[in-house]
Amino acid sequence: MAPLPFMILDISTAPIANAGDFITPAADREAPSNYKSPEAIAKFQKESFDRDVRMAGADLDLAQITGAAFWTLEHGLKIGVTYGDEMAEHKIIGTIAGIIRDRHCALVTYNGLSFDLPMLKRRAAYLGIPTPPISLDRYRSDNLDIYEELTNRGKLKARPLEWYVRRFGLDLVKPLSGEQEAQILEMAAATNEAGELVMPDAWDKLKASLRHDVIAIARVATLFGFATFPEAPAAPQPRPDDPPIG
């Protein structure tokens, strides 16, 4: 039997607009017993609530997909961001799901079995997109999760993808951290006192970060001998000819 075609995949997420509606309200949160004054208690409650809202970008049921990048030998590298638009998100997820379904791809990710892949399936369900046939089995799946391989299914020390980029001395620079990716909607809309956007290139930076991760996954997987992708892109920065998803 011929090997399945590879799809190297990475996504970015952020909280849905009304994530706070599904999180324990600030007023219902119990402060530690050493908090005595009403002001200190209220401050703790608000900060706790705000933290959980920010973290909702990692919650399968409270997150939206803000961008994705993938590479296959057939399609090359494709990158798409939503600009906060649900229809754009629908198109990105639908395109990826369709390729997975039609080509029966083996998905190559970093921590994808725990995040990217279940998020893709869950968000597809919420948007009414036929759920892509993705196996999340850690032991009997054709999908390759580099994180799972490096940690021996959680038995060894875990490190982020960027750590291995630095450890191997790869010529890759990621414009946004994971925390910044989760705040992309706020960052893209933030203005200064003059009403000017603080980061007018926020979405371009997200595209570059997604491109970085796909390239980093391919190179780290190759360096560790898990798989080889001789045709995958190796350039660290976005190029004008990178086609969008969909």
Side-chain angles (χ1 to χ4, degrees), residues 15-31 41-57 62:
I16 57 174
N18 63 334
D21 295 346
F22 303 95
I23 293 173
T24 302
D28 294 341
R29 292 170 181 253
E30 184 175 349
I41 292 173
K43 183 175 183 291
F44 169 85
Q45 291 173 322
K46 182 181 184 305
E47 290 178 349
S48 175
F49 174 79
D50 290 346
R51 182 185 63 250
D52 286 352
V53 171
R54 289 194 302 272
M55 294 297 294
L62 298 179

Side-chain angles (χ1 to χ4, degrees), residues 10-12 110 116 160-163 165-166 170-182 204-214 216-217 236-238:
D10 184 65
I11 67 171
S12 59
Y110 195 88
D116 302 71
L161 177 62
E162 187 62 19
W163 191 92
V165 170
R166 297 197 310 271
L170 302 181
D171 57 338
L172 300 173
V173 178
K174 182 166 176 150
L176 300 178
S177 66
E179 182 178 356
Q180 288 174 318
E181 288 183 1
D204 288 335
K205 287 185 175 180
L206 180 60
K207 290 180 184 178
S209 288
L210 290 163
R211 188 179 205 277
H212 165 282
D213 285 355
V214 166
I217 290 169
Q237 299 300 327

Side-chain angles (χ1 to χ4, degrees), residues 103-178:
R103 301 294 188 270
H104 305 288
C105 298
L107 303 175
V108 183
T109 61
Y110 195 88
N111 201 30
L113 286 175
S114 296
F115 182 70
D116 302 71
L117 304 187
M119 182 67 74
L120 192 66
K121 295 181 72 169
R122 189 70 58 89
R123 196 60 184 151
Y126 277 119
L127 295 180
I129 302 169
T131 306
I134 299 173
S135 171
L136 301 179
D137 192 304
R138 298 175 74 183
Y139 301 98
R140 294 183 297 275
S141 172
D142 291 316
N143 299 324
L144 173 62
D145 187 334
I146 308 305
Y147 177 90
E148 289 283 306
E149 295 293 330
L150 290 174
T151 62
N152 191 22
R153 306 298 188 270
K155 298 181 180 67
L156 304 177
K157 184 176 180 64
R159 291 187 168 98
L161 177 62
E162 187 62 19
W163 191 92
Y164 289 104
V165 170
R166 297 197 310 271
R167 183 65 181 84
F168 278 116
L170 302 181
D171 57 338
L172 300 173
V173 178
K174 182 166 176 150
L176 300 178
S177 66

Side-chain angles (χ1 to χ4, degrees), residues 84-98:
D85 179 66
E86 192 172 277
M87 290 302 296
E89 182 186 11
H90 191 289
K91 182 176 182 180
I92 289 172
I93 296 174
T95 298
I96 293 172

Side-chain angles (χ1 to χ4, degrees), residues 191-198:
T191 57
N192 57 24
E193 293 181 356
E196 301 167 329
L197 291 174
V198 175

